[in-house]
Amino acid sequence: MLALSINDRRPLKVLCLGAHSDDIEIGCGGTILKLASDPGRLLVSWVVLGASTEERAVEARSSASEMLQGVAGQQISVTGFRDGHFPFQGSAIKEHLEALKGTEPDLIFTHYRNDLHQDHRLVSELTWQTFRDHLILEYEVPKYDGDLGSPNLFVELEEPLVSRKARHILRHFPSQNGRSWFTEETFRALARLRGVESRASGSYAEAFYCRKLFCEL
């Protein structure tokens, strides 16, 4: 259902969906690292849909493998749907997501529904179409388009974890280093802003958009 018990000590099955090779790390990397700090609890299916070149595919696999070190189980999938053309490949992407139902995730991370990148937006739409009874958190990716919204769920991050996330991204995705926004300062600045908004005691946070959450009292 649309619920998650933080006191339940059974393995937590997480499905991470990203349109492109670095999206998951940028959007929820700090949260994944925080969850993975509890040894043996996490079972992760990590799915990158659009690694359009072999270089990007290698970056994605290397990054995911390092970020998921120590988890109880991991499945890393990197496919080659064409970057920038997801809306025209929707049927094939939908079938790919349908095949992931067997992972039976407790928690799904996907793109923000109002993201202005067409690939991101389609992945979000198809996530909700495919997984009707699951807890879904939509993450954000900063970009030139200026599409950041007002998130309603925050995960507090301590400063060392923010630094670790930012440096991990820069180290594992050298193909993106020429982009003006792809800097440690950008990732730290967004985490600081979300920390201010959530009044995080550690000053930093990752933010998510949670449409539906079921609470048992």
Side-chain angles (χ1 to χ4, degrees), residues 77-89:
S77 171
V78 181
T79 56
F81 291 106
R82 188 179 176 187
D83 187 359
H85 290 71
F86 278 27
F88 308 104
Q89 305 171 84

Side-chain angles (χ1 to χ4, degrees), residues 14-19 23-24 26-28 32 47 49 93 97 100 107-115 119-131 134-141 207-211:
V14 178
L15 173 61
C16 300
L17 298 173
D23 289 338
I24 298 171
I26 293 172
C28 59
I32 294 298
V47 179
L49 295 164
I93 296 173
L97 294 188
L100 297 173
L107 173 62
I108 300 172
F109 291 104
T110 193
H111 287 278
Y112 173 41
R113 60 178 165 175
N114 292 327
D115 194 306
D119 294 353
H120 297 182
R121 193 165 58 250
L122 181 77
V123 172
S124 182
E125 292 171 358
L126 293 180
T127 301
W128 281 95
Q129 290 177 17
T130 306
F131 298 94
H134 298 75
L135 176 58
I136 299 173
L137 299 183
E138 301 171 355
Y139 59 76
E140 56 188 357
V141 177
F208 301 92
Y209 303 82
C210 181
R211 296 200 217 177

